Amino acid sequence: MARIALTARFQQAITPNALRSYLAEFISTFFFVFAVVGAMMSSRKLMPDAASDPASLVVVAIANAFALASAVYIAANASGGHVNPAVTFGKAVGGHISVPNAICYWISQMVASVMACLLLKVTVVGQHVPAYAITEEMTGFGASVLEGVLTFGLVYTVYAAGDPRNGAVGGIGPLAIGLMAGANVLATGPFSGGSMNPACAFGSAVVAGSFKNQAVYWVGPLIGAAVAGLLYDNVVFPTQVPDSLTGVTVGVGVF
């Protein structure tokens, strides 16, 4: 029985609609990573001492906000607009997407990120693709906690922006998600880079050839995303269902 159920799940992961969702994730993630990593490269080109120039931080934060809002918006109807393995993981933990679909989302996001960074490396002569790194004053554990908190805020916003109980949000939802990402980069860019996105960190690391502290950008964000999803769905805004005996709507959560 379990084998039949597993087979059915994998069959659902290769339906035409599912394949379209993977393509949508690839396209949206590609342009998001291209814009963010490209902004990092542009700031270093225009500001040789970008590491100590506040303007560089603002440029990258704005690129994150605009690019993520746009990427989520263009993919929302086809794939949900995850654009981030951490968001996909949080949705999978919450039961909003099956494991086979989540794995395919991850593959699309990771390949898109590597392709975007590779395109930047090939086309932008004389500039190296920067990899995310933590500052010397921080430990790997501290950076993981920081990235986890940032991703918690981002994924919590994703849940709230996509909650149909909040009414039709249209373009406001993606904008709110982008603004949260931009604010997080402004707050922590000089410390951990403010990645919040394992795919973005992975793609730049692959092309740059540097995997130092790469675990920071996976462990923290995945844990933060899972906690955000579970907390939103089960504690703060539990799903409402009608009681079969009284007809009264009650919350379904941990309480």
Side-chain angles (χ1 to χ4, degrees):
M1 191 68 180
R3 180 177 298 180
I4 296 175
L6 184 61
T7 301
R9 284 181 175 271
F10 275 101
Q11 288 177 343
Q12 292 174 357
I14 56 174
T15 61
N17 285 337
L19 295 177
R20 282 193 288 269
S21 70
Y22 308 149
L23 179 59
E25 280 297 306
F26 178 90
I27 294 172
S28 59
T29 305
F30 178 92
F31 284 108
F32 168 71
V33 175
F34 184 85
V36 171
V37 177
M40 295 167 66
M41 296 172 67
S42 296
S43 66
R44 296 188 180 192
K45 173 69 174 178
L46 298 175
M47 295 169 271
D49 194 19
S52 60
D53 194 332
S56 175
L57 177 62
V58 174
V59 167
V60 176
I62 291 176
N64 267 273
F66 286 179
L68 185 57
S70 301
V72 171
Y73 183 80
I74 64 175
N77 290 333
S79 66
H82 293 188
V83 200
N84 186 334
V87 173
T88 301
F89 184 73
K91 291 285 188 178
V93 170
H96 296 277
I97 183 174
S98 68
V99 172
N101 284 107
I103 292 173
C104 293
Y105 269 45
W106 272 29
I107 294 173
S108 298
Q109 294 157 353
M110 306 292 280
V111 173
S113 179
V114 172
M115 293 296 290
C117 292
L118 189 59
L119 179 62
L120 286 169
K121 180 179 178 64
V122 171
T123 56
V124 182
V125 180
Q127 287 282 317
H128 71 278
V129 174
Y132 284 88
I134 64 175
T135 186
E136 295 179 355
E137 291 82 5
M138 293 198 72
T139 63
F141 175 77
S144 293
V145 172
L146 193 61
E147 286 290 323
V149 171
L150 297 179
T151 310
F152 175 93
L154 178 64
V155 175
Y156 194 88
T157 305
V158 169
Y159 264 82
D163 192 338
R165 291 171 295 180
N166 294 331
V169 292
I172 298 299
L175 179 60
I177 295 169
L179 290 176
M180 174 61 76
N184 284 346
V185 172
L186 284 173
T188 63
F191 307 113
S192 66
S195 169
M196 299 166 281
N197 191 322
C200 193
F202 177 79
S204 60
V206 168
V207 176
S210 174
F211 288 91
K212 185 178 181 181
N213 295 314
Q214 183 67 197
V216 165
Y217 304 104
W218 283 89
V219 177
L222 294 184
I223 294 176
V227 173
L230 291 174
L231 189 65
Y232 186 92
D233 269 350
N234 298 286
V235 180
V236 183
F237 295 104
T239 302
Q240 303 292 313
V241 296
D243 186 281
S244 59
L245 296 178
T246 64
V248 177
T249 300
V250 296
V252 175
V254 295
F255 300 114

